Amino acid sequence: MGCAPSIHVSQSGVIYCRDSDESSSPHQTTTISQGTAALHGLLIKTDAADSIPSVLAYQSRQPPPCAGPRRKERGEPGASSRARAPHCCRIEAETQTSHNSIKQASTTEIQIGPMRLTQDPIQVLLIFAKEDNQSDGFWWACDRAGYRCNIARTPESALECFLDKHQEIIVIDHRNSRYFDAEAICRSLRATKPSEHTVILAVVPRTSSDQEEASVLPLLHAGFDRRFMENSSITACYNELIQIEHGEVRSQFKLRACNAVFTALEHCQEAIEITSEDHVIQYVNPAFERMMGYHKGELIGKELTELPKSDKNRADLLDTINTFIKKGKEWQGVYHARRKSGDSIQQHVKITPVIGQGGKIRHFVSLKRLRCTNENNKQLYKSHCDEKYTGDNSQSESYSFRCKNRRKDSIDVKSITSQSSDAPSLQTRRYSSMARIHSMTIEAPITKVINIINAAQENSPITVAEALDRVLEILRTTELYSPQLGTKDEDPHTSDLVGGLMTDGLRRLSGNEYVFSKNMNLSHSHLSVPITINDVPPCIAQLLGNEESWDFNIFELEAVTNKRPLVYLGLKVFARFGVAEFLNCSEATLRAWLQMIEANYHSSNSYHNSTHAADVLHATAFFLGKERVKGSLDHLDEVAALIAATIHDVDHPGRTNSFLCNAGSELAVLYNDTAVLESHHTALAFQLTAKDSKCNIFKNIDRNHYRTLRQAIIDMVLATEMTKHFEHVNKFVNSINKPMASEESSSHREGSDCECTANIKNFPDNQTLIKRMMIKCADVANPCRPLELCIEWAERISEEYFAQTDEEKRQGLPVVMPVFDRNTCSIPKSQISFIDYFITDMFDAWDAFAHLPVLMQHLANNYKHWKTLDELKCKSLRLPSENNN
């Protein structure tokens, strides 16, 4: 088939092109336009040449079917039409294909952080003075990509079209300066505001192999973003445009969307400040300006250290804040700031580090709200009067009135009365009941706090009242100490680990009740004859000589004692702390008790066995040896702590509380799905102890001492239950760490010795918090052990979780921790999640009290080890260098 067309020019100057071999079809005529047209290299000039359009607009059409390149025939077979375009850039004619298979341009969904955006089809502006193969290449590339395309022939029409349509991509012919100055066009486009988010591409001529390639700097200085070496291949042009869309265009689209975020920040009621990682102020919103009295021009670009500071903050507060945020942790608390006027105001501040490229902190975002104090209220009220109420204040007053009404009249008795015939009597009774409720004096501490806040709201400015409303919402929740867990699309290892350890499961009962494999009638009489401390074999005695060191290897003791390390270590530790003397029992009774307790640990468990109990006992003894811990506790507390560590996991089945609740086990039913295992450990230990006089270590102590000791032991074992983890840690920080830091700071200023330890001893509640924190840290101290021990413990706990997942699948139970599938689990990831979520903050707090530099160094080294393994995707838990060693 030939492709040579026949050309017909009407008197009006409209050019018609008809394929010579298809002239029989009345639908094969293509309208081009008035003026000049290039067809297969043939230039056709008409009488209407002066009226050629400066800009031609194209929609999707297929490339020409015939062989060889074809210039811009403004349509395909079956598209004989001449359409008037909207008045844009003096567009006089637009033609389009009316049928055949045409790819329709579609919108694209793009995500930027939590924001979901919809991008319209890409628009492209081609600026070519003359039509040639290169302009054709880009034309058909736009068609293939589904882009909307316009072509302009003059600088004026190009600028007019861009200002009308705001194309995302502009392609300028930079090959020949005879027709127009490409760089001048680019500069004129860049001078317009819409071009801020537009990508401009320069088409430059090819350089021969013997020529040195030209620098791109002149193009960049002129405003171009990219350079395209002349190539008329449609595929080459298509590839270039697609890369630009997925690179610069989408990036610019996301940047445009940031305007919405900044609009929200500008209208936000909370004061917001954004700084760089070096604490240089980058942004403040109007609320910040109002609160601090500065204009943003006075703040942007300044370091925080250049601004005046209030002298009401603790001396170490800034160091504390920096310690938190430099680790990538959020800090929030009360901070005294100095306004431009010199006044000091008290703020609730939340500082959030923002992680950027390379996983490094790139910004800090600070949200600041005034605290509800009389001085702050006066200043804020004055600021409101000066700045916001200068105009029409009726709306603000109305809003204030509504807020007060909402707080005073939160319960409308009439709205809840019945509409039945006896409504009056019901209403009277209900009104009377409501009145009694409001007149009640409820003395619970949280009620007092809520009442104080409600009273403070009455005379507070709107913003403060709203802030206090949020405070009340938080206080009315049941879990005041537990942080909100992240969504499941974050880290599945963390989500599963936290969910498995901090919940009691899904409460779905099964027909298969989980029964322990222990022998409840087991007693010390079935064991070998107890040994004395002097009869310990030399190899064991040599190992125990190092038991006061933190680096003591419990696995070596496990090996030489044939998996009975608890008896031997217990004898040594209990003797060192005088436990038998305090209990007034013989050494033989103590030995029998230790053997009986160890016999009720399951050696078949990979992790929760007597070796773990011995490890926790060792850690507890180590902590009790620290000066500040020793000075804070009595001898009874020490004995209680050592006994609690010994029994804390006795008869553990190697399954979590969640598993037992889901399986409908006897224990879960007995303890109402609450702290099931921890309750069982203590109950069984006391039951076995009292069962046989030969191993009853409590038989000779005073009843009052026994009750106190028993209560302390129970409290410590129950503290190892993870659902209360954050409550225990937060109470310790607020009741022990912070007051001690304040007292130490005061004593340093006054030059006197700190009496913090003595003060703690005067408050039994504080001693309880210390004992809870001590056994919690001892229970999960594995990440703080030397690396080899840490790795061994990680393997053991993972194997126990793998076994639980296997059994859950076999029994058709809910899988509590799906990531602990032995075929897919990453142990390094699970360790990283556990350290991040549970360990770091708790040991930071415990170290601040007990001073444990060796542990913290091990923790840092081990965390780095797990991170390296995770990054290298190693299957082994040891690095190649460690394996070689």
Side-chain angles (χ1 to χ4, degrees), residues 381-399:
Y381 182 74
K382 184 177 184 302
S383 174
H384 262 294
C385 292
D386 292 346
E387 297 176 21
K388 295 198 75 174
Y389 295 171
T390 52
D392 180 14
N393 62 358
S394 59
Q395 184 177 358
S396 299
E397 289 174 355
S398 172
Y399 180 73

Side-chain angles (χ1 to χ4, degrees), residues 718-731:
L718 291 180
T720 63
E721 200 247 337
M722 294 301 288
T723 61
K724 301 290 185 183
H725 171 81
F726 294 102
E727 177 176 343
H728 294 317
V729 173
N730 278 301
K731 283 183 176 178

